[in-house]
Amino acid sequence: MFGWLVKRQINAFEKMYNYDMTYARVLLDADPAAFRKFAKVMGIARYRKDVPQDVWTAAKLVGAMAEDCGPCTQLVTTMSEHAGVPPRVLQAILERDFEAMPEDVALGFRFAEAALAHDPEADGLREQVVARWGKRGLVSLSFALTAARLFPTLKYALGEGKTCSRVTVGGKSLAVARHQVA
């Protein structure tokens, strides 16, 4: 019964976001208990308190782009569009165009990138994040960054990762400007 219900949810997710969830089926078929443990991560992936959606999206996309330049980055982009993030903001994030990003979004992006790189600049950016959105805002951005990296890493480890592809935002196809992170 559990497997049947989960497979229906996976199918619905795939349809809603035009996203291949084969990796989730592989996990479920290998061990339903492992899938249940994996599903608990969704709480971390969805946690967003005290920080605007577009800023949270910037941190999430930094994490996704560090691990993937294809389907996972597209999924975060599509989900962000559904959540109301304007295509021009998503395009600026994907192209690493800081001048086109709103100031808050650029802060979230720079913080996430510096944190991933273990760059000492992260300390000052972290202070700005806490000053602007508080400790829960910092946790929100940290969870977004961390969770966004988990999914593509798991997909590639299970053999379900795909090569780089262009990402579509607001009907426009873009190449992702990946920043190599240590």
Side-chain angles (χ1 to χ4, degrees), residues 23 68 71 152 154-163:
Y23 82 99
D68 171 76
L154 179 62
K155 281 179 63 173
Y156 278 89
L158 291 172
E160 297 299 327
K162 303 293 181 214
T163 59

Side-chain angles (χ1 to χ4, degrees), residues 113-122 149 181-182:
E113 208 167 62
L116 281 184
H118 304 185
D119 187 327
E121 184 182 342
R149 296 186 80 187
V181 181

Side-chain angles (χ1 to χ4, degrees), residues 27-94:
L27 191 56
L28 179 64
D29 291 343
D31 185 358
F35 183 89
R36 282 191 289 275
K37 291 185 182 302
F38 167 70
K40 291 179 181 181
V41 171
M42 296 312 296
I44 292 172
R46 291 184 184 123
Y47 182 90
R48 181 177 70 86
K49 300 216 179 193
D50 302 341
V51 69
Q53 178 75 43
D54 56 354
V55 176
W56 186 71
T57 291
K60 209 167 196 166
L61 277 169
V62 166
M65 291 186 301
E67 300 300 323
D68 171 76
C69 52
C72 290
T73 299
Q74 180 66 64
L75 177 62
V76 173
T77 301
T78 302
M79 293 175 88
S80 299
E81 279 186 296
H82 287 202
V85 178
R88 64 177 171 69
V89 173
L90 291 167
Q91 182 175 344
I93 294 167
L94 291 166

Side-chain angles (χ1 to χ4, degrees), residues 105-175:
V105 173
L107 173 58
F109 186 104
R110 289 179 196 276
F111 165 70
E113 208 167 62
L116 281 184
H118 304 185
D119 187 327
E121 184 182 342
D123 293 336
L125 294 167
R126 186 178 304 103
E127 289 174 10
Q128 290 178 51
V129 165
V130 171
R132 197 164 293 180
W133 300 297
K135 290 182 180 180
R136 287 195 325 184
L138 175 62
V139 170
S140 293
L141 296 182
S142 300
F143 276 2
L145 176 61
T146 302
R149 296 186 80 187
L150 173 87
F151 298 101
T153 302
L154 179 62
K155 281 179 63 173
Y156 278 89
L158 291 172
E160 297 299 327
K162 303 293 181 214
T163 59
C164 292
S165 59
R166 296 179 69 82
V167 173
T168 302
V169 179
K172 182 178 179 184
S173 179
L174 306 170

